[in-house]
Amino acid sequence: MEIGRENSCMIKMDEGLICIDRTLPVVSILGKKYTILILSLLGNDNTRNNFNDIANSIPGASRRIISMRLHELENEKIIEKNEGEITEYRLTDRGYAMRKAIVNLLEVILNFN
Amino acid sequence: MEIGRENSCMIKMDEGLICIDRTLPVVSILGKKYTILILSLLGNDNTRNNFNDIANSIPGASRRIISMRLHELENEKIIEKNEGEITEYRLTDRGYAMRKAIVNLLEVILNFN
């Protein structure tokens, strides 16, 4: 038992405690640059998107970092890559569940006044 | 009208479009290191926390970065600082609204299997 970690990851909720291991890749990805935008954009219209669609939707973003992020999201089965004539990305079921919660969070923020 | 930005920030939802300006400080803070953990931890038991409580809850974290993050969150009125005998931090109403949406997102992630 890792006392340090156990003590560090308690988040109290109505229904009890949840334990966040911030070293979990999926938790770690969440806090990385562009993750929230990529997931939000990829779910638009349930469409697939190729790399340029994604990169062009985030002007000024580093294409290298977007590429890293897509790779990490694919590793965590949050998005999937279809390699046909054009390589396209789309959200998995996990990805859609995450996007829904992310959009909800963005709405909370945008309602700040 | 900034076409580039407008094109870049469309997120389609059931109820229409939302437009995310990723240069908004509060959107930018969301993707920074420790933000999600700090907000999650600060809401525990509705208590106030001093700097050491927060830093000790995230072992291995850089105290300098936690300090920067607290400052940014305070600037965005997501947390407030009470300077008494001990300087303490707590969530504002904004902060509680954000924490609720964040915890919901973390639950989605933790339910991945």
Side-chain angles (χ1 to χ4, degrees):
Chain A
M1 195 171 86
E2 297 174 77
I3 297 287
R5 169 159 301 170
E6 182 149 322
N7 284 338
S8 76
C9 58
M10 297 297 197
I11 297 176
K12 291 184 185 167
M13 304 164 64
D14 296 343
E15 318 83 58
L17 291 168
I18 57 173
C19 185
I20 300 294
D21 180 349
R22 71 196 167 86
T23 62
L24 266 183
V26 67
V27 173
S28 154
I29 289 171
L30 189 62
K32 287 188 182 171
K33 211 166 180 175
Y34 308 137
T35 298
I36 284 174
L37 282 173
I38 290 171
L39 292 185
S40 300
L41 293 164
L42 262 187
N44 283 347
D45 297 320
N46 303 332
T47 51
R48 292 154 188 259
N49 290 265
N50 65 36
F51 182 81
N52 284 326
D53 295 333
I54 299 166
N56 294 339
S57 298
I58 312 176
S62 151
R63 295 172 77 89
R64 192 181 60 83
I65 299 182
I66 291 180
S67 172
M68 277 170 52
R69 212 75 336 127
L70 289 171
H71 192 69
E72 291 161 358
L73 290 167
E74 194 193 347
N75 279 347
E76 292 309 311
K77 298 182 175 55
I78 295 164
I79 64 175
E80 57 189 12
K81 186 158 77 172
N82 283 65
E83 312 209 48
E85 219 167 305
I86 297 167
T87 301
E88 291 175 313
Y89 297 89
R90 66 169 182 181
L91 297 177
T92 61
D93 289 346
R94 278 186 178 198
Y96 276 109
M98 250 177 105
R99 180 186 191 266
K100 198 175 158 192
I102 286 171
V103 170
N104 176 254
L105 172 58
L106 292 173
E107 283 184 296
V108 167
I109 290 174
L110 295 174
N111 283 329
F112 288 167
N113 45 26
Chain B
M1 194 172 84
E2 297 174 77
I3 298 284
R5 172 158 299 168
E6 183 149 319
N7 285 338
S8 78
C9 59
M10 298 295 198
I11 296 175
K12 291 186 183 165
M13 304 165 61
D14 295 341
E15 316 84 58
L17 290 168
I18 58 174
C19 185
I20 300 295
D21 181 350
R22 71 197 168 85
T23 63
L24 267 183
V26 66
V27 173
S28 153
I29 290 170
L30 187 62
K32 288 187 181 171
K33 211 166 180 176
Y34 306 138
T35 298
I36 284 175
L37 281 173
I38 290 171
L39 292 185
S40 301
L41 292 164
L42 261 185
N44 283 346
D45 297 322
N46 304 332
T47 51
R48 292 154 188 260
N49 290 266
N50 65 36
F51 182 81
N52 284 326
D53 294 333
I54 299 165
N56 294 338
S57 297
I58 312 177
S62 150
R63 294 171 78 88
R64 191 180 61 83
I65 298 183
I66 290 179
S67 174
M68 279 170 52
R69 213 70 343 123
L70 288 171
H71 193 69
E72 292 161 356
L73 289 167
E74 194 193 348
N75 280 347
E76 293 307 311
K77 299 183 174 53
I78 295 165
I79 65 174
E80 58 189 14
K81 184 159 79 173
N82 284 64
E83 313 209 48
E85 217 166 305
I86 297 169
T87 300
E88 289 173 317
Y89 298 89
R90 67 169 180 179
L91 296 178
T92 61
D93 288 346
R94 278 188 178 199
Y96 276 109
M98 250 177 106
R99 179 186 193 267
K100 198 175 157 192
I102 287 171
V103 169
N104 176 252
L105 172 56
L106 292 174
E107 284 184 294
V108 167
I109 289 174
L110 294 175
N111 282 330
F112 288 167
N113 45 24

